[in-house]
């Protein structure tokens, strides 16, 4: 699903056949029925592009900026999606690339962290609640295996 979201947000794909071909170029083999179900689950719609062609778009596509030279889905999947982290008292805000927050928050919640009480994720932002006696360094040390180099 992440690869599908990244392809739709970075390419102008106007038909399910084009989407299937793009996925296949990335090493994913799907049936049309599976793709159709995934598009429905992601609430993908069609909208007019700048050149008037109708293409697939994700909900709230304004957050997904189209790029002129997109990375491959495999390249995007190999990055953590992490952008930055900020703290205020026992709270933290993690900024991610669009579409990455829920996956990263899931990994944080399942990391058995002794310093993070919980997370709330949006599309590109994660709110974390930190135990009162935990330091920012404690939290960063626990998040490093999940987020990569965050220093």
């Amino acid at each position: 699903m992440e690869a599908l979201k990244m392809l739709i947000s970075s390419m102008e794909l106007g038909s399910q056949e084009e989407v299937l071909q793009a996925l296949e170029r990335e090493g994913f083999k799907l049936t049309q029925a599976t793709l159709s179900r995934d598009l429905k689950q992601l609430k993908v719609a069609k909208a007019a592009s700048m050149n008037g062609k109708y293409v697939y778009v994700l909900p709230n596509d304004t957050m997904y900026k189209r790029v002129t030279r997109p990375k491959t889905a495999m390249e995007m999947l190999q990055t953590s999606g992490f952008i930055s982290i900020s703290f205020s008292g026992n709270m933290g805000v993690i900024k991610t690339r669009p579409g990455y927050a829920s996956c990263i928050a899931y990994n944080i919640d399942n990391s058995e962290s002794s310093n993070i009480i919980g997370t709330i994720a949006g599309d590109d932002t994660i709110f974390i609640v930190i135990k009162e006696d935990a330091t920012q360094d404690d939290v960063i040390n626990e998040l490093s295996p999940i987020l990569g180099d965050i220093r």
Side-chain angles (χ1 to χ4, degrees), residues 76-146:
M76 288 188 273
L77 288 171
Q78 290 171 355
T79 65
S80 72
F82 169 79
I83 294 174
S84 67
I85 186 167
S86 302
F87 296 97
S88 179
N90 72 325
M91 299 175 290
V93 174
I94 299 171
K95 291 300 220 170
T96 71
R97 289 185 19 218
Y100 278 76
S102 63
C103 179
I104 292 172
Y106 175 84
N107 290 337
I108 293 169
D109 288 338
N110 287 291
S111 69
E112 299 179 16
S113 167
S114 60
N115 293 306
I116 298 172
I117 296 171
T119 65
I120 300 173
D123 182 62
D124 62 356
T125 306
I126 304 166
F127 173 75
I128 60 173
V129 177
I130 302 160
K131 288 189 177 175
E132 287 188 37
D133 60 341
T135 68
Q136 291 179 13
D137 283 337
D138 292 337
V139 174
I140 287 172
N141 288 335
E142 283 189 343
L143 291 176
S144 287
I146 299 165

Side-chain angles (χ1 to χ4, degrees), residues 38-51:
D38 289 349
L39 292 172
K40 184 176 181 179
Q41 189 175 2
L42 290 172
K43 295 181 173 61
V44 171
K46 276 196 167 181
S49 68
M50 294 293 220
N51 64 10

Side-chain angles (χ1 to χ4, degrees), residues 62-74:
T62 55
M63 295 191 297
Y64 292 84
K65 302 209 177 6
R66 296 201 185 275
V67 292
T68 54
R69 290 186 314 138
K71 291 181 180 179
T72 67
M74 290 310 280

